[in-house]
Amino acid sequence: MSRKVKEESCVRVPICQRPEWSDVCPVPQDDGPNPIVPIAYAEEFREIMDYFRAVYLADERSPRALQLTQEAVSLNSGNYTVWQFRRVILEALNVDLHEEMDFVARIIRDNAKNYLIWHHRRWIARKFGADVASKELEITKEVLFRDAKNYHAWSHRQWVLQELGGWDEELAYCDELLEDDIFNDSAWNQRYFVVTRSPLLGGLEAMKDSEVAYAVKAILAKPENESSWRYLRALHNNSLSSLSKDPRVASVFVNVLKSKKDYVEALNLVLDLLCRHYEPSDELKNSIDAISPDSCPPGSSVAQKVCHILQVADPMRADYWEWRHSVLV
């Protein structure tokens, strides 16, 4: 088929010219007699919605109404009424939902941040159950490859894992993402979700030792990465008491400070611990002394020295560190 013939075959026929719609009277949108800011809808969109209102008001659950909803969401995938009516029609006609999944997948690729599409996808997935778990994880993986922080894809992925299963390779997937980008805070969040929720891993207590080791390794690789420090805190349930008792935490402090660079996040946690009566080792004290600025007053406590260092090393939050210094007791 020539390109010209293909183009001609794809030309849209207005609904008013389609024989199968000759019995329907379109219902125009009623904006009132004097709309303040009327919207200049495209003619194609206006016509589709006029006919959609007609079938919606008539509660027509037919193949042509289903096709009309497809045209409507293709032009505006954010219309929740169209999506809801489409689900009503799909159930009434007992349509093959495998085709619907393919249709939704095509729309998601261009509208991955539209929560209505993900809601519709979830509705379909519930119909199939565990049989589509791998397919659902795959489509979120595809979206996250293009946008690693897409909240809707992450939310859907977590729903799939909890409702349909598919936990087997999820920790490995987190490994893959963090190897590619250790600063991917969404991947760190997903890792914690897996460690604490997966029925295959035994929970946080069973995984804590190996995960602390994982976090420490990540911290030493990129000590400026707040996400890995936050993950370390989370593994200790954000308990400063628990953190202070972990020898690996004290060791990572010293190792980061000895490098004399990228130590803001390390000192942030050190300061929090010091404010909870943490007793630093002599090695840690010496490491802090080694990077203390000349402006640090003689006789300053360890916590005061940390605040002075942070005011210099983290000028963006200098006022914050000054406030932390002012409230030290």
Side-chain angles (χ1 to χ4, degrees), residues 253-298:
F253 286 152
V254 172
N255 286 327
V256 170
L257 294 181
K258 279 184 175 180
S259 70
K260 296 187 178 181
K261 63 178 183 178
D262 300 326
Y263 47 68
V264 169
E265 295 302 331
L267 287 181
N268 183 18
L269 181 52
V270 168
L271 181 59
D272 285 347
L273 291 174
L274 290 171
C275 290
R276 295 297 184 276
H277 310 295
Y278 174 60
E279 289 295 332
S281 66
D282 290 338
E283 189 176 18
L284 179 55
K285 290 179 182 177
N286 292 335
S287 298
I288 291 171
D289 286 337
I291 57 174
S292 294
D294 295 337
S295 59
C296 189

Side-chain angles (χ1 to χ4, degrees), residues 26-32 35 38-39 41 45-46 49-50 53 79:
V27 178
Q29 178 169 308
D30 183 5
D31 287 332
I39 300 174
Y41 295 111
F45 179 80
R46 182 200 60 74
M49 293 308 299
D50 286 355
R53 275 185 286 273
N79 191 318

Side-chain angles (χ1 to χ4, degrees), residues 154-327:
W154 280 120
S155 179
H156 188 70
R157 190 174 186 90
Q158 292 187 354
W159 176 84
V160 170
L161 290 168
Q162 291 182 297
E163 297 294 325
L164 308 180
W167 292 98
D168 308 61
E169 302 297 327
E170 194 63 15
L171 194 61
Y173 177 56
C174 294
D175 284 340
E176 178 186 327
L177 291 177
L178 291 170
E179 285 174 11
D180 182 59
D181 178 14
I182 201 170
F183 293 93
N184 186 340
D185 51 352
S186 295
W188 282 107
N189 180 72
Q190 183 70 359
R191 188 178 188 92
Y192 186 76
F193 175 83
V194 176
V195 167
T196 56
R197 304 289 185 86
S198 172
L200 308 179
L201 300 178
L204 180 57
E205 286 308 309
M207 295 292 293
K208 184 175 180 179
D209 188 65
S210 60
E211 286 303 295
V212 167
Y214 184 93
V216 167
K217 182 179 178 181
I219 287 169
L220 293 176
K222 293 289 181 180
E224 71 273 28
N225 181 16
E226 182 180 359
S227 293
S228 48
W229 287 99
R230 289 291 172 186
Y231 188 69
L232 181 62
R233 287 181 182 238
L235 293 173
H236 288 273
N237 290 313
N238 290 308
S239 168
L240 294 177
S241 175
S242 177
L243 280 162
S244 67
K245 296 173 184 176
D246 189 333
R248 289 170 294 185
V249 174
S251 178
V252 78
F253 286 152
V254 172
N255 286 327
V256 170
L257 294 181
K258 279 184 175 180
S259 70
K260 296 187 178 181
K261 63 178 183 178
D262 300 326
Y263 47 68
V264 169
E265 295 302 331
L267 287 181
N268 183 18
L269 181 52
V270 168
L271 181 59
D272 285 347
L273 291 174
L274 290 171
C275 290
R276 295 297 184 276
H277 310 295
Y278 174 60
E279 289 295 332
S281 66
D282 290 338
E283 189 176 18
L284 179 55
K285 290 179 182 177
N286 292 335
S287 298
I288 291 171
D289 286 337
I291 57 174
S292 294
D294 295 337
S295 59
C296 189
S300 296
S301 68
V302 178
Q304 290 170 331
K305 291 177 183 177
V306 169
C307 287
H308 281 291
I309 297 169
L310 287 170
Q311 282 182 268
V312 175
D314 186 19
M316 184 68 72
R317 295 184 290 178
D319 289 345
Y320 170 71
W321 300 123
E322 183 178 3
W323 173 80
R324 290 292 300 270
H325 180 273
S326 72
V327 298

Side-chain angles (χ1 to χ4, degrees), residues 36-75:
I36 297 176
V37 186
I39 300 174
Y41 295 111
E43 180 58 28
E44 178 184 356
F45 179 80
R46 182 200 60 74
E47 183 190 43
I48 288 174
M49 293 308 299
D50 286 355
Y51 275 87
F52 171 75
R53 275 185 286 273
V55 297
Y56 180 74
L57 291 172
D59 195 23
E60 180 182 320
R61 306 177 187 187
S62 65
R64 71 177 182 180
L66 182 63
Q67 175 59 32
L68 186 63
T69 63
Q70 179 171 326
E71 293 184 52
V73 297
S74 295
L75 290 179

